[in-house]
């Protein structure tokens, strides 16, 4: 039985860091080998290692990287929060992701009036007063 499992594992497609970059770079243009190593150091992904110590990523690990990078880019979540979310998923639970706080929004990002009110919880009156003041 153990040999059968090992044979199945040997036939899985595994990717080098360079191949992972080729897969993910179109979606995450600033991705680099050092970023992949950093995410591993933070415990967000655990690629397999060859006997020579090279990292090999499974398709599941690539998908996990895609989730991490998307949450970081689109939700502005800190890695600690993303790690906790992944740990909950790994444990078989269905965790909810916290919404990005207004303080975590990127400088210069533009919002519609409705989005701004939703993000800041401003009342119509407070929004109107802020607009009148030129904020």
């Amino acid at each position: 039985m153990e040999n059968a499992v090992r044979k199945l594992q040997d036939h899985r497609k595994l990717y080098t860091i360079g191949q992972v970059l080729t897969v993910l770079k179109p979606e995450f243009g600033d991705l680099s080998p050092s970023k992949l190593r950093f995410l591993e150091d933070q415990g967000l992904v655990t690629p397999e290692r060859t006997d020579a110590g090279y990292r090999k990523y499974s398709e599941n690990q690539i998908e996990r990287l895609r989730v991490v990078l998307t949450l970081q880019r689109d939700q502005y979540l800190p890695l600690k929060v993303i790690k906790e979310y992944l740990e909950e998923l790994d444990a078989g639970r269905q965790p909810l992701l916290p919404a990005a706080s207004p303080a975590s929004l990127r400088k210069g990002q533009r919002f519609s009036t409705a989005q701004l009110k939703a993000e800041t919880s401003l009342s119509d009156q407070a929004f109107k007063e802020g607009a009148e003041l030129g904020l």
Side-chain angles (χ1 to χ4, degrees), residues 2-37:
E2 195 172 306
N3 283 340
V5 171
R6 188 173 298 126
K7 283 181 183 180
L8 283 175
Q9 289 174 339
D10 290 344
H11 292 291
R12 291 181 305 153
K13 176 74 172 147
L14 295 175
Y15 300 82
T16 64
I17 281 185
Q19 292 168 323
V20 171
L21 289 172
T22 300
V23 170
L24 295 176
K25 202 129 171 100
E27 196 174 345
F28 307 99
D30 61 346
L31 190 60
S32 65
S34 61
K35 172 102 179 202
L36 292 176
R37 289 189 291 270

Side-chain angles (χ1 to χ4, degrees), residues 2 6 19 29 32 40 46-47 55 59 75 80 84 87 90 101-104 114 121 127 133:
E2 195 172 306
R6 188 173 298 126
Q19 292 168 323
S32 65
E40 179 185 359
T46 43
R55 292 168 178 84
E59 290 183 8
Q75 299 290 325
K80 180 181 176 189
E84 291 168 358
E87 287 171 351
D90 292 343
S101 68
S104 68
S121 303
F127 185 83
L133 292 171

Side-chain angles (χ1 to χ4, degrees), residues 3 10 17 24-25 61 64 72 76 80 87 93-94 97 104-105 108-109 111 113 116 124-125 133:
N3 283 340
D10 290 344
I17 281 185
L24 295 176
K25 202 129 171 100
Q61 289 293 310
R64 188 176 180 100
Q72 208 177 14
Y76 315 110
K80 180 181 176 189
E87 287 171 351
R93 294 186 270 283
Q94 299 287 325
L97 276 172
S104 68
L105 299 174
Q109 188 171 358
F111 292 91
T113 300
L116 187 58
D124 290 335
Q125 182 62 33
L133 292 171

Side-chain angles (χ1 to χ4, degrees), residues 59-131:
E59 290 183 8
N60 287 340
Q61 289 293 310
I62 293 172
E63 188 55 36
R64 188 176 180 100
L65 282 166
R66 183 175 278 116
V67 168
V68 168
L69 295 167
T70 300
L71 291 174
Q72 208 177 14
R73 180 191 66 199
D74 298 347
Q75 299 290 325
Y76 315 110
L77 294 175
L79 292 178
K80 180 181 176 189
V81 172
I82 296 171
K83 183 177 181 181
E84 291 168 358
Y85 173 75
L86 292 173
E87 287 171 351
E88 289 292 308
L89 284 177
D90 292 343
R93 294 186 270 283
Q94 299 287 325
L96 294 176
L97 276 172
S101 68
S104 68
L105 299 174
R106 291 186 178 166
K107 186 176 183 177
Q109 188 171 358
R110 298 180 118 3
F111 292 91
S112 69
T113 300
Q115 289 172 317
L116 187 58
K117 286 179 183 178
E119 287 291 329
T120 60
S121 303
L122 283 174
S123 67
D124 290 335
Q125 182 62 33
F127 185 83
K128 182 180 175 185
E129 289 172 6

